[in-house]
Every structure is written in structure tokens, then in C-alpha cells.
């Protein structure tokens, strides 16, 4: 397996399995002089970690971040930042029954095809615990962005087919983190929560759509052609487990409207040319235009369901059936929000460094 | 501008502007011993080039590929393959009027923000002519894939809101290239064509959805975590101009169904475990599972429209209006098909090389 | 600081400071199925660690490797392997006196120029402890090479101006690790040891030349032009602290002989064309030719010396003088041997993977 | 063959064979706004091209650079710059005799091992004509450096065992380009020229040592650990054909002196801490310190010699002998000077961009 590194100048490398001793990340390319301690990282890990409500997995993990390098006297030194999170509540007992029966919708069979055998304990490297490294690194990226007036925040816009109502940014700010769904529309949030309970009651699961908005990104970020800002975001978001679609701005809706409806008209505003609408989602020709960058991801329903499913027994090579009883989230979108934010923050910092918008060696402007 | 290179082991670098002397590509990492001549490349360039029907731009370009390196005695040598396509029908006259009035929906303003000034002739580097290098390189990738029993083919599944009817692979093979829309449903194709003419008549344009299917990809391709096959495909596809969304398998539809509906059940077939359905679109955990890989992209309507639009005059910094009269396609989906196929073929060859499925130095099996 | 990652397919990322809590490495791209435990890594760390004799630093570190990921049931899974080594014998007291007086020959001033401030405790990231990650990762690379019949071993050929006598490979194998100098000529080793003691007695230090030989590398490894095997080796070796020169084969000596003396004549041997001599050092045109690959590095004398030296006081910006009294090696060459071997092993595995000589996903041949 | 791309942010991709239709380079990452035309590139190509004196190959090539993209209105646009140089004086007749008899000291056999067959015409991709792309791209890098007060210049310090006398920078500037050897010591240059003629008369060849000095590089350039400035330079220089050794500062000489002699003492000068000597060659801990960066390369004697040599006949797999009669340089050092300068300039621009010393998108300071 290669491909555990993401980014060019601001670059992260993650490691660790669900049921191994620990998971972690090395962040390389963080400039020197950033005031940073583990609380900056903990804040985001706490948003990601399980056990925040009854709609998440019952696995109990404090997910405490230990910073092992790159900080001196409370500031980053420019050296790589190694962050470690120990796994404590490891219980592989439920998984032993599954070692020869690949779970439909999971990576069990594909890992086996690729590597010959696999770490069957809790999904191994394909577990959602892999995202801890992303979120820890993303917390640093978010801090850098925040110091430059950029905010990245996500919310659930659809879950199990229920859509959140017309939501403005004010609302998203105020309401999203107030409910376990991370939905800015409180009424919809209640329905979504009920929907999750109902699905779980039926031994089933539901998916949804998460939107992430980045405000304050200056115009000019992104490298045209292959490293378009939109292309880097698409890669970062599609690399999150359970994501089956990515769209920018109007996305798939743009395919059914006319050019005259899609194009954002331009007009002078405060002495600068500005688009009057934001159908483009803040990116044109792969380069940011200064408007909010709007990304949405389609999150499939959790593949782990207790409903009986057809599968095969790889020891006897015969058909069989399974009911999955390990611990898992009945719906991923609420917990994927901080992960998606992290990936977007990582892309933004990296591409802003590449474009000369952020210092790479020393944060002398702080 | 960095970012004109794509791929790790099978790697392409494209260059060239719409109204410059030429466009081209350097393909690095093609193994030695591949029988190749310019006709292999011309075949795909001919599918991409304008002037194939009255629904494309009237610009006349033969798009003749000249191979300048990497071939000896009719075979690749392992050295980089440089391919050049001269621009002939360059007419910048229509663009001079637009040099200070950025076209809504285009990259005019973002390029200016990023680079201080821009090549206003025909879109410069942000023109669709940039895709010639992708298609030329993709032709080589497709040839390599074809020799390994892998086929990559695309078709228009929706245009201007009109959907193609239930299409099986047989149909797609037989019908897609028979109409200028590249739609496998001949009736829908006629309606789509009429829709394009109607939109153009109104000085407007339409977008659509293109699907690309890859058949024969072995199980095990893709690097989990950041370089998932799905993530690499998403980057490659989202890097094509006018693409605003990417989905794999059921994509956004997966967000509204239950886990029990989404998961592809497994069963033994011909002595091997196989999914009974393909909602995953051939990829699980970022790794191919041997089923057809199904990608769809949302293509926005052509931003160049003759309808009057609001914009700004950058010389006087005042509001103004424009009607765009340059040559352009009224609808991009039909011509984006070979470009999307090329990007997918490039990703597949690169990821298959990384996973050890394809030789990197010498095609000794030929 | 970016640049803490090395390699393309077999890729390592190191982190950690001399006086921080730990140092470590993440190895990405190791194929699944390799039998591996911490003893494989410990073996090489023990060759590198201090305290093996009285010619090394008195710092006491067990340098115990803890593997945190990527292993299951005694075998690699294909997932990244995270290795952690805690720092125990940290004593920063001696360094406090040096925080404002940059040590000549060290990176103190250049780090300060680049990052604005620096971790002055024991050299921080520029300490030789940074090489622990290299050696730990190199141990895995060496194991993979060993299974493919390739051996990489180094020895000190010159130290403080004293040269080892005519050494054949048999001798190097048998004698090198028997003396603390790692010199295959036992008589020279004794003189070198005396030379180190004498230099230390004068508050001074000595450098030397280390040679590393790689036996069994098949012909055809290396990518011509920029990623020549020789170029990758040069980068890897020159990236080790204290290395000021790299040469392959006859190296600098090749500049003073004639072409007819330099060229290795070819002749048939056992049915294959073979060079009769190895002036090229196993590489021609950047590609291995099947002969032993011979690299030599020039190692400067330890910059930390107790002799008085001129420097500046950065707090008062005046001239001053220092005597360095921290713990350090009086001569680096003996301890750099396993580091140089590691870098070469890492390059070989990576380039052999790129050339298709080693599996990237699964070691099915084991 | 992969590996035809060099650099991270300022990145070049070269292509082309000695006896193919053309050679060239794509330069990606050049910022917009640089005044550039083909004369900037021609100037350096003219220094590299053959036929400047009777000590170079008699091959007649004008090496005229054609810029195909990336320039508009006399300035770079930020888009990739594609440069093409046609091959005219192609004469493969002499090489046909050599197609089955690999030339000792050349890459003939290693290419064959790697790629199964090879382009035997004039060395194909392993020919010195491959360096045209490097020099063309290096000319752009040099122009950028020059605008930032940085100069990179090389000279021959040793040839065929003859050393140039004590040379100061003034002398190098004034004298180097005045003689065909590119030696700053005019007396030594005459002896070297005689040495070349003598060697050629004997059907033999000579090598030498080239030194390149970079003046004006600010302190702080280079990424510690693997991407040290010294490591990147070593890779770039060792990637040039015929180079067998690289050293920085005192290089191999540093291995025989004491620490107290090697360390450059520091003292205040004009209000800044400065080293009093430059044994380090301008780099400490992989980071530039503001002093001249001094690199030296060992260049082996031209492997093509007319003296009879032992080789093998690959068609009959028997021993044989050859005399090489194609066109070639009897001594490479004089012509390698601009190539080495180019590689160093490319490394400096790339690493300065990575460290934030140079703009990546727009040269707004011009």
C-alpha cells in the first residue's frame, strides 16, 4: 500500500489500524512560529470521536492526541509534527466470526485480493479510525487558515432522503453543532435522528449528503489543468471512505440548466469585479474567485448492518449469510463532517502555499 | 502555473494554448516494446476534434499528431513520447473585444487574479484545446489497456435535462458513436440534438451528464487511503474544464437508499466470490473489485453564450454587458466523452503500474 | 520544513528531534506478506546506536523500536509501518549555554535564518538522532533485498587521513564489524582508533571516507535521465548530515585517467556479456549493469569540538568564542556506516519497485 | 522509462533522442510576467552546442530554440513553456556497425537489459543531446536568478590531470569563456588543450573536474533532512551523463582535515554574523548560509574512443573488438559547464520557490 501521503508542500502521512496499538499522522511542511499545542488538535478530534450521542458507535475512545515532535516552547519549529493517538477500546471478538466471510459493501474482499490476506480486526486500515490522522492534521491546517481569515465548516444537508430547509450561513454557524446530526435546520435534524433510529431498529442504515463551505479564500488559489483547486478537493474528498460522489457549486444540478442560468453575472462591487451569484461554488477554471467555496459529498449508508446479507465463506468457498454485530455508526454523515472539513482545509493550505498565499518556512506575519 | 503533469509512473505533461502555434503532450513512463504509430493517436484525436457535426464549434482543425520521440522501428523505446499538434485555424479577432470584459462562467477573471495578466486569445491555456494532450496520451493508455483486455468507453446519459433510456452495455457499444450526441439511446439522441439547436437559437447552451464504463479491470487496483482508485479518478475527471461533479457507482443516489439496498450481496460464481449487483461501481475501499468501473460526471452548459450577459469593463472598472460571438460548442458533453475516457485510461494505467499489474519497463508479454 | 519524505513507491517519512520525547519513521509501500518483527529493526538500530565503544558519544540510549502499525500475525499487511523510538537520556543543560552562540560547522545559524528561531536542544531536527528513522526503515529495505539475494554493506576506507589497505569483499565481510571503526583492515583500524583518541585529546575531531557495496543488484535498475540510479543514490547519501561528497565507482579518480583506462572492457562470461573490470561502479547511463554497486562518501570531521572557536553572540550581536562540551562523537564515519547502508537500501528497493523488479503489493513469492 | 521530470514547483520534463526528429523540454511552474524570448534560451544553447572549436564533436547543429507555448506579448503567462530544438545533422551510418556491439563505458548494454531493445542511433536517449532540454530550461532559471541578484557560473578546474592554478572569482569571470576549455587559468587552458589533442591523437580521451559557483543565494534555502539543498544539487549533478562524483565545499578534502580546520569560524561583519571562510561551500545542515555555493563534479573521459576495445557481439554472443568512429567530443568537461550550471540553476529556483524566496505565480516585483 502506498498512497498514505497527501499534499505537496503541506503534506501529511497517516498510519494505523482500527485494532492496532495506535493511529497517527506526521505533518510535514508546517511553517515555524505557529503557536500550537495538543488542545488545538483535541478540539477537532473531539468533534470526530465516537460516543458523542446515541447515534454513534458505542466504541469508547478518548482519542487523546500526543504531539511527539515539531513543537518547542509552544511553537512549531518547522520540523515535522508527529501526532499519536492510542487505541484503547479494542475488541476484536466480534470480528473473528467475520474473518472468512467478507462483509458486503466493505473493503474486505478487495483488500484480500490486493494483499493476499488482511487484518480482519475491525476493518484494519480501512476502518473509519484511519480518519483520526486526517482530522488531527486538518486541525493544524484550520488553525493556519483561521489566522488568515479563512473558515471551513460543514453541515449535513440531507440524510436518509430528508432534506434540510433553506439554510443561510448565519444559520449554519449557529445551529449545526447544536444537534447530533450536525444539521443546520433543527426540525429536519429531529426527523433525521428519528430516521436513524428507525433504520437501526430495522437492522439497517442510512446515508446522506454533507456540504462544506470555505469562506475567505482569496481569489487566485489553484493550479489550472490537472491540479485545479476543484480537482484537488475532489481527490481529497473522494479519498474518504463511504464517499461516492463529489460536487462543486451547483454540481450535478448544473447539468440540467441553461448557460444563461448557470453563469454567474459579474458586476462592480466596492471597486472590484464580483460575481452576483455563486453557482460556480467559488471556483472557475480550477482557480478560486474569492467567493465561498462550496463542496458537497454523497455519503453511502453504513455498510455494516445487522440485517441478514448474502456473502461467501472463503474457507469453504461456498455461499453463506451474515448478520454483522460489531460496533459501528448507524449513519456516517454527522461524523464525516469534521473529516470532510479537514480534507478541505488540508487542500486549501497546500494549494495556498503552492500559489504563494501562505508562507512555507516561517510565519513571520504572526 | 504548476500542475501540468498527471500521474506517478505513467505520467503525462501537457502544454499549449488555444491560439498559440501548437499544443502537445509528453508521455513519460510508457514501457518499451509497444507497437505504436501516429494512427493510434489520431484515432482518438479524431473523436475529439471539432467539426464532426453541426453541434460542434465551426473552428477547423485537422489536429494532426506528430510523434517527435520515443519510437524506434515502430515500437516504443521506453523513452518519453513527445506528441505535437499544430494549431492552424487561429482567429483571435473575436477575442480582442473581450480582452477587458471577462466572460461570466469562464476563467478569465481568475487567471487575471492569479497571473496579473492573461492570454486573452481564445481562452489561452484554459481553452478546451488543452485537452488535446490528454486525449493523445490517453490513446496510448487505451492501447495498453486494450492489450490487457480492458476497455474504457463513455456515452452521454443526459443532456439539457433529457435522459437516455435504460441502456445496457451492448447498446452502448453499438449505438453511442452512431450519433453526434454520443448517446446510446437513439431516440433520446434526437431529442438532445433538437435541444441543442433550440438552445443555440436562443443564444444559450446546455450541459449534461457523461458516464464512462471500464470493463476488464482486475480486482486489486488502487491504493487505499489517499490514493484510492476512486480518488484518483475523481481528481482526473474534475480536472477537465466544465466538470462540476463526479460520482462512482450509484453516486449521489447512494445517499438516499438504505444500507441493505446499497450493499452488493456476494455469492460464489464460477468458483470465485462475486458481487451480484454493482452499486459500488466496481470500487470498494478505494480498490477495484473486478466489476465494471462506472463513473459519471456533471458537465455544465458552455459558458460562452451569445445572449447578453452582465460583466465588467476592467479598463474603466465599470459595469457593462457582453454578447459572446467567438466560435464555441453549444454543448460540451458529446465532445467531452473521449476526454473523460482518456483521463480514466490514464488513471488506470498509472494505478495498475503502481500495483504491479502492468510492466513499467518492458512489455515482454507482447 | 518540507522534505522529510524519501522515495516514490517505497517511501519513508521521518520525524523527531534529539531532545524531544521520541523519534520515528513511517514506512509506506512495503508489500504485504513480509515476515517482520521489531528484532529485524533492532538489529540495525543496535549497529547505529551510541555507546558501543569509547569512540562514540556517551549518550545512553537503548533505541528500542516499537512497531505501531502495519503488522498482523507476524507479517506486514501492506499498510504503513509506523516505528517509534523513545528518547530517554535527554540532557539539554549543556545546550542552554549555546542557545545564542551558533556552533561553527553546525546548522544552528542556517536553521535560525530559515525558521526565525530554532530548537537549540541537542541540535533538534539536525541532530544525528534524525538518522534513527532512516536506519529503522532501511532495516526493512535490507530484509526485502536480502530475500532477493542482494546485500548492502559498508566499511570505513579512510579516517583522519589513514587509509585501509587493499581490501577484498571477503575481508570486508569478515573484518569490518569486528572493530569499533568498522574498517576491514585491522591494522589500519588500530591506527584510526588511535587517531580518534589523539584528536579528542586535542579537543578536535576527524572525518573520513565510507564505502558501501551492493552485491546482487540485477542489471536494469534505474531510470535514465533525472532519476538515474546514481542520481538517486547521490541524493540519498548527500542528504545524510556531515556528508560533503559522493562518488560512484572510480569517482573523482575517473577524472584523471584516460578513456581507455576507464572503460570496462566487455567479454562473454557464462554465456552472458560481462564487464571485465568495475570502474563504473556497477552503473552505466544511470542503470545498474549487474556488477557490484560501489559508492563512497566523504564525511567531514564532527563539527562539535571542545577546542575554542570563534563565533558570535546573537543576543548582543558581538563576536565571542565557545568551547563545545555537549556529548558527541569524536568521529562520525564508523557510526555513519549503517546510515549510509540504509539510504542505499531504501533507494534500491524504491528503484527496483519502479522498474518492476520487486512486487509493490504482495510478496507472493515468499 | 520514467524519471524525465525534475523539480517540484519549478519543474522540467525533457524528451528526445540524438537521431530522432527533435529534442525538447516543457518548463512548468515559471511565474507569469517574466520578459522572455528565444534569444534568452539561445544564448545558453549556443554555449552548449557543438562546433564551437576543434575540441568538440564535428556534428553540425544550430540548435535553434523554438518556443511553442507559455509566452504572450513577450512575457511568460504562467502556462507551461514548451521549447523545441530540431535535429538536423543526423548521420546514423556509423552507428549501424555498432548495433550489436555494445560500446564499453556507454549505456548500450544497460538500456538493452532494461528495455529489451534500444535505439542504437547515436546513443538515442542516452546521448549528450538529451542535455539540450536541461540547458534550455536552465536558461529560464538563470534569468529568474539573475533578476534576483544570483549568478551561477562554472569553469574547468582540472582536465586530464592538469590543474588550473589558484583562481579567484574575478579571474573566473574574466577568463573562463575566453578559451575553448572554459578554464580560468589561461596557461593551464593551453596545456589542457594540448592534452586533449594528444589524447585524441592516441585514439583516447580525457576527463576532468568542473566547478560551479553560485553567488548571491540568500541564507535559508534548502529543506533539511532528505531535500537538503546539497542533496538536491547532488541529484541534479549526478543525473548528468559522465558524472561520477559530486562534492560541495571542501568535499572529499574535508575527510582528511581536522574539525578545527574544517569548521568555518563565525564573526560579525556589517552587523550580521558571517563565516570567515567557506569550507562548507555555502551549505550547512542542508540549508544555504548566504556564502557562495561551491559544487564540483568529476567527469569521466569520453567513453567513445577510436582505440580498439574488447566487447561482445550480441548477435553471435561471442567476444569481439571495436574501434568507435562516430562523431563525439574527445573531452566532455568544457561542454558540460553550461549543463552543470543549468542543473544548479534549476535546483536553486525550485528550492527558492519551495522556501518562499521566489514567487510561484506572478513576478509582480518586476
Amino acid at each position: 500500500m502506498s498512497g498514505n501521503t497527501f499534499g505537496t508542500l503541506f503534506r501529511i502521512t497517516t498510519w494505523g489500524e482500527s485494532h492496532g496499538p495506535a493511529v497517527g499522522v506526521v505533518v510535514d511542511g508546517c511553517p515555524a512560529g505557529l503557536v500550537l499545542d495538543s488542545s488545538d488538535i483535541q478540539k477537532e478530534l473531539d468533534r470526530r470521536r465516537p460516543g458523542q450521542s446515541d447515534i454513534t458507535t458505542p466504541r469508547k475512545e478518548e482519542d487523546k492526541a500526543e504531539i511527539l515532535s515539531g513543537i518547542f516552547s509552544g511553537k512549531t519549529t518547522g520540523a515535522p509534527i508527529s501526532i499519536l493517538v492510542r487505541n484503547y477500546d479494542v475488541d476484536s471478538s466480534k470480528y473473528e466470526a467475520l474473518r472468512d466471510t467478507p462483509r458486503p459493501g466493505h473493503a474486505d474482499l478487495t483488500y484480500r485480493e490486493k494483499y493476499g490476506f488482511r487484518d480482519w480486526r475491525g476493518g484494519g486500515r480501512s476502518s473509519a479510525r484511519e480518519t483520526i490522522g486526517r482530522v488531527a492534521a486538518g486541525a493544524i491546517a484550520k488553525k493556519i487558515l483561521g489566522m488568515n481569515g479563512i473558515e471551513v465548516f460543514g453541515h449535513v444537508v440531507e440524510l436518509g432522503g430528508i432534506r434540510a430547509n433553506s439554510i443561510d450561513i448565519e444559520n449554519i454557524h449557529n445551529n449545526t453543532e447544536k444537534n447530533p446530526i450536525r444539521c443546520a435546520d433543527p426540525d429536519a435534524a429531529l426527523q433525521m435522528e428519528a430516521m436513524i433510529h428507525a433504520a437501526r431498529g430495522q437492522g439497517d442504515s442510512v446515508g446522506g449528503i454533507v456540504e462544506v463551505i470555505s469562506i475567505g479564500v482569496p481569489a487566485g488559489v489553484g493550479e489550472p489543468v490537472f491540479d485545479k483547486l476543484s480537482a484537488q478537493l475532489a481527490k481529497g474528498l473522494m479519498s474518504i471512505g463511504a464517499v461516492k460522489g463529489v460536487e462543486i457549486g451547483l454540481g450535478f444540478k448544473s447539468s440540467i440548466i441553461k448557460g444563461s442560468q448557470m453563469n454567474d453575472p459579474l458586476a462592480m462591487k466596492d471597486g472590484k469585479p464580483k460575481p452576483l451569484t455563486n453557482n460556480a461554488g467559488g471556483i472557475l477554471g480550477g482557480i478560486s474567485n474569492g467567493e465561498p467555496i462550496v463542496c458537497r459529498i454523497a455519503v453511502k449508508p453504513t455498510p455494516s448492518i445487522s440485517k441478514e446479507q448474502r456473502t461467501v465463506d472463503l474457507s469453504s468457498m461456498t455461499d453463506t449469510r451474515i448478520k454483522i454485530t460489531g460496533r459501528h455508526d448507524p449513519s456516517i454523515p454527522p461524523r464525516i463532517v469534521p473529516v470532510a472539513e479537514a480534507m478541505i482545509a488540508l487542500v486549501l493550505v497546500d494549494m495556498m502555499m503552492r500559489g504563494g498565499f501562505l508562507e512555507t518556512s516561517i510565519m513571520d506575519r504572526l
Side-chain angles (χ1 to χ4, degrees), chain A:
Chain A
M1 184 187 311
S2 62
N4 292 280
T5 295
F6 187 77
T8 297
L9 294 183
F10 191 84
R11 168 183 278 209
I12 72 166
T13 302
T14 70
W15 55 270
E17 287 86 43
S18 180
H19 289 198
V23 295
V25 63
V26 182
V27 179
D28 195 15
C30 184
L34 177 69
V35 176
L36 190 80
D37 66 27
S38 58
S39 70
D40 292 301
I41 287 144
Q42 203 56 52
K43 191 173 57 181
E44 291 294 328
L45 288 184
D46 286 348
R47 292 180 64 214
R48 195 216 76 95
R49 81 184 166 81
Q52 300 167 63
S53 77
D54 65 349
I55 59 156
T56 66
T57 166
R59 178 166 174 174
K60 293 224 163 13
E61 290 288 356
E62 280 204 22
D63 286 350
K64 207 140 185 284
E66 186 185 357
I67 301 180
L68 294 172
S69 66
I71 310 277
F72 179 56
S73 302
K75 285 184 180 176
T76 56
T77 61
I81 302 165
S82 177
I83 303 169
L84 181 88
V85 172
R86 294 269 170 193
N87 293 327
Y88 289 107
D89 185 15
V90 171
D91 172 10
S92 306
S93 60
K94 292 290 198 308
Y95 290 91
E96 260 191 283
L98 300 169
R99 49 194 296 185
D100 290 318
T101 47
R103 298 165 295 168
H106 272 287
D108 297 359
L109 204 54
T110 52
Y111 267 66
R112 196 182 170 111
E113 293 274 6
K114 186 172 182 67
Y115 301 112
F117 80 117
R118 73 186 179 85
D119 182 348
W120 46 261
R121 305 162 305 165
R125 184 74 181 139
S126 70
S127 159
R129 278 194 80 68
E130 169 261 309
T131 61
I132 286 178
R134 302 178 186 235
V135 170
I140 301 175
K142 275 183 154 183
K143 183 155 190 183
I144 294 172
L145 293 174
M147 296 172 78
N148 286 274
I150 300 166
E151 207 190 348
V152 179
F153 53 92
H155 59 124
V156 172
V157 291
E158 194 176 315
L159 192 143
I162 299 161
R163 280 192 199 191
N165 261 328
S166 56
I167 25 186
D168 59 19
I169 279 169
E170 198 73 14
N171 246 315
I172 300 171
H173 263 125
N174 293 339
N175 297 332
T176 299
E177 297 286 318
K178 287 189 183 147
N179 58 68
I181 302 295
R182 290 203 166 98
C183 175
D185 171 349
D187 297 334
L190 285 173
Q191 293 175 54
M192 291 171 180
E193 208 173 338
M195 163 67 84
I196 292 175
H197 286 297
R200 182 155 56 181
Q202 296 156 10
D204 219 328
S205 63
V206 286
I209 297 175
V210 167
E211 180 177 82
V212 185
I213 302 171
S214 306
I215 290 183
V217 179
V221 180
E223 301 299 317
V225 187
F226 300 116
D227 292 356
K228 286 184 166 81
L229 183 55
S230 40
Q232 303 288 72
L233 290 168
K235 176 176 172 176
L237 292 168
M238 196 70 102
S239 78
I240 306 171
V243 174
K244 298 301 282 185
V246 177
E247 55 181 19
I248 310 281
L250 286 196
F252 275 86
K253 205 186 151 194
S254 71
S255 70
I256 54 169
I257 60 177
K258 294 269 162 52
S260 57
Q261 299 167 299
M262 179 67 193
N263 289 348
D264 299 305
L266 294 166
M268 296 303 300
K269 199 179 152 188
D270 305 329
K272 296 190 74 173
K274 283 282 188 187
L276 295 171
T277 51
N278 189 20
N279 294 334
I283 302 176
L284 277 175
I287 306 172
S288 64
N289 67 357
E291 299 302 300
I293 293 171
V294 182
C295 305
R296 267 181 310 280
I297 53 176
V299 183
K300 73 174 182 180
T302 319
S304 292
I305 54 175
S306 55
K307 233 179 195 170
E308 193 180 75
Q309 296 182 88
R310 295 183 60 177
T311 185
V312 294
D313 183 322
L314 295 170
S315 59
S316 60
M317 283 303 212
T318 54
D319 288 0
T320 185
R321 282 162 192 275
I322 47 166
K323 295 179 175 188
I324 299 170
T325 55
R327 300 167 304 183
H328 40 74
D329 290 271
S331 189
I332 300 165
R335 281 188 68 207
I336 221 171
V337 168
V339 181
E341 289 172 6
M343 292 313 296
I344 288 171
L346 290 166
V347 168
L348 288 176
V349 168
D350 189 39
M351 296 308 287
M352 287 179 73
M353 283 183 170
R354 284 177 65 178
F357 291 90
L358 289 175
E359 294 284 337
T360 53
S361 288
I362 174 170
M363 298 193 77
D364 52 0
R365 289 170 305 207
L366 307 189

